[in-house]
Amino acid sequence: MARAHRRPPGRGVEWEFETLVLPKDFSRNVVTRMLVERAEHGGWELDRLRIGNDGKRRVVLRRKIIRQRLTLFAG
């Protein structure tokens, strides 16, 4: 149901993407609650949403990849 991938590093911010395919029998309210939950607890934001001819929703979420930098302390 969900598939996560990363785009190759470019200039600036790096993003991680997750693709969801939701069946047409999920109501709009259920989908909204699901996406809000992922945004609040997982740090995801909506990148794109498409509704196909078959009624399935294809949702792409993204979030920033935060890299830790190595710090060395001279002591």
Side-chain angles (χ1 to χ4, degrees):
M1 184 165 149
R3 188 181 77 212
H5 65 278
R6 295 180 180 189
R7 288 198 181 154
R11 294 180 55 194
V13 178
E14 290 184 58
W15 297 97
E16 178 180 8
F17 291 82
E18 182 176 29
T19 303
L20 303 172
V21 179
L22 305 173
K24 68 178 182 178
D25 47 328
F26 281 18
S27 72
R28 189 174 185 176
N29 289 334
V30 169
V31 172
T32 301
R33 278 186 266 144
M34 182 185 306
L35 296 177
V36 166
E37 184 75 21
R38 285 183 178 262
E40 288 179 353
H41 298 288
W44 294 99
E45 61 185 50
L46 183 64
D47 186 55
R48 77 180 52 98
L49 178 120
R50 295 200 173 206
I51 301 176
N53 291 338
D54 56 358
K56 288 184 182 177
R57 291 178 177 92
R58 288 167 181 79
V59 181
V60 178
L61 303 173
R62 71 179 185 178
R63 66 179 168 188
K64 288 182 184 179
I65 298 174
I66 300 172
R67 303 253 185 233
Q68 290 185 337
R69 295 181 186 215
L70 180 62
T71 57
L72 299 174
F73 295 102

